[in-house]
Each structure stands twice: as structure tokens, then as C-alpha cells.
Amino acid sequence: MQSDWSYPKLRNNPCVYAGSIQSGGLVILAHNYDCHFGRLNSLHQGSEILLTDAVGQEYKYGVEEIFVMDATDVEEMTDESYDLTLFTCTYGGKARVTVRCMLQNQLDGYPEI
């Protein structure tokens, strides 16, 4: 995953769009390729997502909601009331599949943030 985003970086990897694990409101975007977020819409409320940071620390998130929003809803996409948001384009690129998650806990014995 890239620490920031640009269209060239997004071709190859998911990218951080806003926020961070430490400060909250982490938003990650990726293309809808199968190897990126192509199956994002197959998640459901209650699904668990494991995220590993650059130093190997793992975080477990629970999916709170999944919905489709307009591509122009940038302000709503960066809603910091969620610990993690994942999004990708729908086929055709006119809207965004959006998954909102809350941190359940950190793994590997690290204290919770």
C-alpha cells in the first residue's frame, strides 16, 4: 500500500487517501481489480478486516456498513467518525463502493490506540 495517492501509484497498489491508523479516519482507495478491491462489495456487515502496518503491527476492524456513493461526495468519503473507510469505483466509474469500519482491537499484544 502506498502512503499517499496519485493516479500512477493507484495503478499498481491500494493507496492512503486520507487519515492514518494513528490519527484515525484512515481512508484507503484502490482500483476494482480482483487483486485490489475488486471484491469489496462481497463484504457484509460484521465482516472482519485485518490491516498490517509497515512495521508488522496488525489491526482488526469490523465492517459497520457498505453502500454506494456518488463519485463527487469527497467530503462524505473522508468522514472521520469511522476508523477505516475502504472504497473503489463501481464498474463504469460513476460511483464508489464504500465500506465503513471500526477498530475492534490491535493484535500482537500492542496496546490499543
Side-chain angles (χ1 to χ4, degrees):
M1 178 170 61
Q2 298 288 318
S3 61
D4 59 352
W5 85 277
S6 68
Y7 287 110
K9 290 178 183 178
L10 192 57
R11 275 190 222 117
N12 298 312
N13 298 297
C15 297
V16 172
Y17 184 74
S20 70
I21 290 174
Q22 293 76 22
S23 67
L26 177 61
V27 180
I28 301 173
L29 75 147
H31 279 300
N32 59 13
Y33 310 148
D34 278 342
C35 62
H36 290 178
F37 284 176
R39 293 180 230 147
L40 199 60
N41 62 354
S42 68
L43 293 172
H44 54 84
Q45 188 176 14
S47 292
E48 291 183 348
I49 295 172
L50 291 178
L51 183 64
T52 305
D53 69 13
V55 297
Q57 194 168 333
E58 292 182 327
Y59 301 82
K60 183 168 66 170
Y61 295 88
V63 173
E64 296 285 318
E65 60 181 322
I66 301 169
F67 56 94
V68 175
M69 70 169 56
D70 290 337
T72 57
D73 288 342
V74 175
E75 192 171 310
E76 186 175 338
M77 186 60 71
T78 57
D79 180 352
E80 292 184 1
S81 63
Y82 293 92
D83 296 318
L84 175 66
T85 298
L86 307 174
F87 76 96
T88 190
C89 294
T90 57
Y91 293 106
K94 303 249 185 228
R96 306 290 179 255
V97 175
T98 307
V99 177
R100 301 284 199 189
C101 308
M102 296 303 288
L103 183 66
Q104 293 180 339
N105 66 355
Q106 286 180 258
L107 305 176
D108 296 332
Y110 290 91
E112 289 193 28
I113 55 173

